[in-house]
Amino acid sequence: MFKLFDRIKHWHRVAYFLVAYDFATIIVSYFLALWFRFDCRFSHIEEPYFDIYCHIIVPYAIFVIFIYWILGLYRSIWRFASFFEIKRLVYATVITIFCNALLVTAFVYRMPISYYVFGIGFQFFFGVVIRFSYRFVLLLRDTRAAEMPDSNVLLIGAGSAGRMILRDVNFVNGGAHGAAKVVAIIDDNPNKWGRYIDGVEVIGGRDKILWAVKEYNIKEIFIAIASLSPREKRNLITICKESDCKIKQLPNMYAEKAGIISAGNLQNITIEDVLGRDPISLHQEDVANQIQGKVVLVTGGGGSIGSELCRQIAKYNPKQLIIFDVYENNAYDIQLELKKKYPYLDLVTLIGSVRDARRIESIFATYRPNICYHAAAHKHVPLMEDSPCEAIKNNAVGTYKTAYAAMKYGCDRFVLISTDKAVNPTNVMGATKRICEMIIQTFDKAVREHHEDMLPYLVSHYIEFESDKSERVKSGSGHTEYVAVRFGNVLGSNGSVVPLFKKQIAEGGPITLTHKDIIRYFMTIPEAVSLVLKAGANASGGEIFVLDMGEPVRILDLARNMIELAGLRPDIDIEIQYIGLRPGEKLYEEKLMSEEGLKETENHLIHVAEPIKFDSESFIENLYELMRLAYNNEAPEVVQKIRETVPTFKG
């Protein structure tokens, strides 16, 4: 018998108990109704009424239990009882009282009205009490547990998002485990000061943050304002960082609109939040007009800059978007992302190298792109110092071959992604990117002057310089506009120090810094790419666009910010070590060469550099010699030839 009982599921046992409880309380409810009707004296209850009660109460109780079963009131998980269960109880109450009053009055006997009023009231009361008592007991237990939390939380934001976070922390997740509890709220709206949300006081504005941290022994700060601008967020984070608290934030606006905010939506503050500028307001109609309905090729389309170019180009409804990259994993990732987000986009993903002239020509001949964004390049400064031949092959020769194919197959615009390291370069990587800019200027000059036939066809490294004239583009047949866009470091890119610092912090340090005074310009990837598209759309050919990178950032400050954002202390929890400048590395980057001057454009964030004049024929001869030396892997000779080719190279 007991073994059989043990085999019954727990929720079945709860349901059987509720059935027995409901049966008993329904009988008691209507007895109490008669008892109240006759002044709470059993001897005063008139015999006809009591007889009718005795005859109908058992069938009625069975009927009520049947209705409860139909409405699912024996299948709920009562520790999570909510408005849904209350609503079902109300439905059951209305149905049963209506049937009881109608049928008994019509076919049996007219009972006092108070009998039905008190009876249904007791029935509803007893039904609610048993079903919600379990949750009430759990709530009391959780409240007691939350009185001694492991971590006191300061909540910033007393809006709807803040209220959801508060309830999730105090009553759903945090309070249940005693791990965290919101003990005070900050909001800049004076109308909310001194008032309470779920028992937690709004103590004041942001000027009270540091006071609250000390007064309430705060360990964590949650920023629950979904619509903060980057400037407001940066100011708020700056205040919070003066404490030793761990800071988390609500990442975006969609969560509040979707009504799915919880403590799990909160994310750690990122370095982009600290360094990020206000959003750029660009009129992108010209970008849309340029890209819409066009075939667009992005070389290096799987990289950090290339993939963001693909994301932003896709939203302008191109006729076809071609992702070209040598690394298949990155290309595959961005392909999957774009196919999911833009299912109707004509997307082509191709694998290959810009060093392979025949592969490049095949792509241009097959797809005839109208616009080419050339982001493929080796960008790692120390690695290129050790492998200068590869830098020439990929950066310089790869750019030349791609630019030539663009001219040969009628591409309307070729946009080179350059770098501030091309300005007065002190390293091989920067010098090769300066060569890329010179290639762009050479091609633009040749097209404008109808001297396309003067540009050699560098199909492969073993063809002699003078033996390929038959393959050259005919004079006057080109119409491609060539431009370059130059900017500095982007936060989170593959070559940025940010991923390196994150990894070093996760490993417990130390953070390795080349020099305490080193500075760099930083820009977010989406911001940089939006300006690249804008510059490319406004180009007329031959320009070197320089993007406004804002104020330079000291890398030491960047490292300290990242350590503090991880909830750690610089030089105490995480050591900062200075390892010296790497080969070819500058203390600071310049945005333009001293010989160049900046011209203003309509957009104050985009400038045009006055190009340095050079002999195109001598440059082409030097480039061919560089190509020959690089493919013969003569590294010292390659570096010397780079010095001859780029007069501003100081490496």
Side-chain angles (χ1 to χ4, degrees):
M1 178 69 179
F2 291 107
K3 290 182 179 180
L4 179 62
F5 184 76
D6 289 338
R7 292 177 185 173
I8 300 175
K9 294 181 180 178
H10 174 72
W11 76 270
H12 284 164
R13 295 201 293 268
V14 172
Y16 298 151
F17 168 77
L18 284 176
V19 168
Y21 171 87
D22 287 336
F23 187 83
T25 54
I26 291 166
I27 292 174
V28 171
S29 295
Y30 282 90
F31 174 78
L32 290 176
L34 276 179
W35 189 58
F36 270 95
R37 168 64 179 80
F38 291 98
D39 300 328
C40 300
R41 293 185 179 183
F42 180 74
S43 60
H44 288 190
I45 299 176
E46 296 180 8
E47 186 175 346
Y49 293 134
F50 187 73
D51 290 341
I52 296 300
Y53 160 78
C54 292
H55 281 89
I56 66 173
I57 192 60
V58 172
Y60 173 72
I62 295 173
F63 171 72
V64 171
I65 289 169
F66 175 74
I67 296 298
Y68 283 3
W69 179 77
I70 290 293
L71 294 177
L73 289 173
Y74 296 117
R75 294 191 296 271
S76 294
I77 301 176
W78 292 105
R79 69 175 299 163
F80 302 124
S82 64
F83 176 74
F84 176 82
E85 280 73 25
I86 288 285
K87 184 172 66 174
R88 291 300 177 93
L89 275 171
V90 170
Y91 291 161
T93 301
V94 171
I95 293 170
T96 55
I97 187 60
F98 177 78
C99 294
N100 189 15
L102 180 64
L103 296 176
V104 172
T105 302
F107 299 104
V108 183
Y109 194 76
R110 187 183 183 281
M111 299 291 282
I113 294 177
S114 58
Y115 167 79
Y116 297 110
V117 173
F118 283 115
I120 203 63
F122 282 124
Q123 175 186 317
F124 182 77
F125 171 76
F126 287 128
V128 168
V129 165
I130 191 61
R131 284 165 172 82
F132 284 83
S133 59
Y134 182 48
R135 179 170 182 180
F136 181 70
V137 169
L138 288 178
L139 184 62
L140 288 178
R141 187 191 69 183
D142 294 345
T143 303
R144 286 195 298 270
E147 291 175 358
M148 297 295 293
D150 297 334
S151 176
N152 285 347
V153 175
L154 178 66
L155 182 66
I156 300 179
S160 57
R163 184 166 178 256
M164 292 181 194
I165 295 293
L166 170 62
R167 289 192 169 184
D168 189 55
V169 172
N170 282 11
F171 303 113
V172 178
N173 294 318
H177 303 288
K181 181 183 179 183
V182 176
V183 295
I185 304 173
I186 293 291
D187 198 283
D188 286 334
N189 185 352
N191 292 327
K192 298 179 181 179
W193 296 351
R195 300 169 73 180
Y196 291 80
I197 300 177
D198 290 336
V200 182
E201 184 181 3
V202 182
I203 60 174
R206 65 182 64 189
D207 58 309
K208 289 284 188 100
I209 290 176
L210 297 179
W211 173 86
V213 168
K214 184 177 180 181
E215 182 72 14
Y216 293 92
N217 191 27
I218 300 296
K219 301 298 182 185
E220 294 182 275
I221 298 175
F222 292 171
I223 300 175
I225 307 174
S227 57
L228 276 177
S229 70
R231 183 186 297 273
E232 291 172 330
K233 182 184 291 186
R234 188 168 60 249
N235 293 339
L236 198 56
I237 292 171
T238 300
I239 297 172
C240 296
K241 279 177 57 191
E242 294 184 32
S243 70
D244 293 328
C245 300
K246 189 173 183 180
I247 309 168
K248 290 189 174 183
Q249 64 171 333
L250 193 66
N252 44 40
M253 294 180 63
Y254 82 89
E256 184 172 8
K257 291 181 178 179
I260 57 172
I261 291 178
S262 69
N265 295 128
L266 294 172
Q267 297 178 352
N268 292 329
I269 299 294
T270 65
I271 195 63
E272 288 85 351
D273 297 317
V274 177
L275 299 181
R277 298 186 285 182
D278 286 340
I280 296 175
S281 179
L282 293 177
H283 298 291
Q284 297 284 33
E285 293 84 358
D286 47 356
V287 177
N289 292 335
Q290 183 197 36
I291 293 176
Q292 186 174 10
K294 302 292 180 59
V295 178
V296 183
L297 168 66
V298 180
T299 68
S304 51
I305 296 296
S307 60
E308 181 62 24
L309 274 166
C310 293
R311 291 185 191 96
Q312 295 198 25
I313 289 168
K315 69 183 182 182
Y316 292 117
N317 194 27
K319 179 181 179 181
Q320 188 176 57
L321 175 59
I322 305 166
I323 301 171
F324 182 65
D325 202 288
V326 71
Y327 185 43
E328 68 273 19
N329 290 351
N330 285 349
Y332 181 67
D333 288 343
I334 187 63
Q335 179 191 44
L336 289 182
E337 178 185 334
L338 294 181
K339 280 187 173 181
K340 182 177 180 181
K341 191 171 183 180
Y342 304 98
Y344 300 107
L345 173 66
D346 186 353
L347 183 65
V348 178
T349 305
L350 303 173
I351 302 302
S353 172
V354 293
R355 294 158 58 166
D356 186 344
R358 290 187 174 88
R359 177 61 169 156
I360 287 290
E361 287 220 355
S362 172
I363 292 170
F364 274 88
T366 302
Y367 297 97
R368 302 282 176 164
N370 305 108
I371 307 168
C372 176
Y373 291 94
H374 184 56
H378 287 323
K379 306 179 183 71
H380 201 283
V381 171
L383 292 182
M384 293 306 100
E385 288 299 298
D386 296 332
S387 304
C389 296
E390 300 309 305
I392 288 295
K393 293 174 191 175
N394 201 70
N395 293 2
V397 177
T399 296
Y400 186 97
K401 291 178 176 180
T402 309
Y404 196 95
M407 178 181 66
K408 183 176 180 179
Y409 291 98
C411 185
D412 297 324
R413 184 160 295 177
F414 185 96
V415 182
L416 168 72
I417 307 299
S418 189
T419 170
D420 55 0
K421 292 178 176 62
V423 183
N424 295 323
T426 58
N427 52 69
V428 169
M429 195 284 288
T432 58
K433 293 301 284 186
R434 174 57 191 154
I435 292 174
C436 293
E437 292 181 353
M438 296 170 74
I439 290 171
I440 294 307
Q441 291 176 268
T442 300
F443 269 85
D444 183 74
K445 180 182 178 183
V447 170
R448 286 179 180 276
E449 296 177 356
H450 305 298
H451 290 158
E452 295 90 340
D453 60 330
M454 300 299 294
L455 297 172
Y457 176 63
L458 304 182
V459 64
S460 68
H461 62 280
Y462 55 79
I463 293 181
E464 293 297 328
F465 182 65
E466 295 295 334
S467 66
D468 56 356
K469 290 185 178 180
S470 62
E471 295 290 342
R472 296 185 184 186
V473 174
K474 293 181 180 179
S475 175
S477 62
H479 67 270
T480 307
E481 295 176 344
Y482 292 90
V483 299
V485 182
R486 182 191 295 163
F487 55 88
N489 302 279
V490 288
L491 290 169
S493 69
N494 294 331
S496 170
V497 296
V498 173
L500 174 63
F501 286 174
K502 285 181 178 178
K503 182 179 179 181
Q504 291 175 335
I505 291 170
E507 293 172 349
I511 277 186
T512 54
L513 199 62
T514 55
H515 195 283
K516 66 177 182 178
D517 295 323
I518 194 168
I519 64 172
R520 290 290 182 267
Y521 293 93
F522 282 98
M523 181 181 284
T524 64
I525 295 176
E527 179 182 12
V529 168
S530 66
L531 288 173
V532 167
L533 294 175
K534 181 71 173 177
N538 295 337
S540 57
E543 301 101 332
I544 297 177
F545 289 99
V546 180
L547 304 186
D548 182 359
M549 300 294 295
E551 295 299 320
V553 176
R554 204 163 66 126
I555 302 300
L556 176 59
D557 295 335
L558 175 70
R560 289 182 174 275
N561 275 325
M562 292 186 66
I563 293 171
E564 291 169 354
L565 290 177
L568 303 170
R569 294 166 295 177
D571 300 316
I572 299 176
D573 300 318
I574 299 290
E575 181 186 359
I576 299 177
Q577 291 182 354
Y578 302 100
I579 60 176
L581 291 174
R582 298 173 296 182
E585 191 170 34
K586 296 181 183 180
L587 275 179
Y588 62 93
E589 302 291 355
E590 304 157 272
K591 286 188 285 187
L592 70 162
M593 283 171 267
S594 58
E595 298 90 344
E596 293 175 316
L598 286 183
K599 293 181 181 179
E600 293 291 332
T601 67
E602 293 182 0
N603 190 304
H604 69 281
L605 296 173
I606 303 174
H607 308 275
V608 180
E610 186 70 29
I612 298 174
K613 298 186 183 300
F614 58 90
D615 187 331
S616 298
E617 292 185 10
S618 297
F619 170 70
I620 291 296
E621 291 177 3
N622 286 335
L623 179 62
Y624 183 78
E625 182 62 16
L626 274 171
M627 180 181 177
R628 186 187 66 79
L629 292 171
Y631 277 98
N632 288 332
N633 292 309
E634 300 176 28
E637 291 79 3
V638 163
V639 175
Q640 180 57 39
K641 195 64 183 178
I642 291 175
R643 292 192 182 98
E644 296 175 17
T645 307
V646 182
T648 56
F649 179 35
K650 302 174 183 178

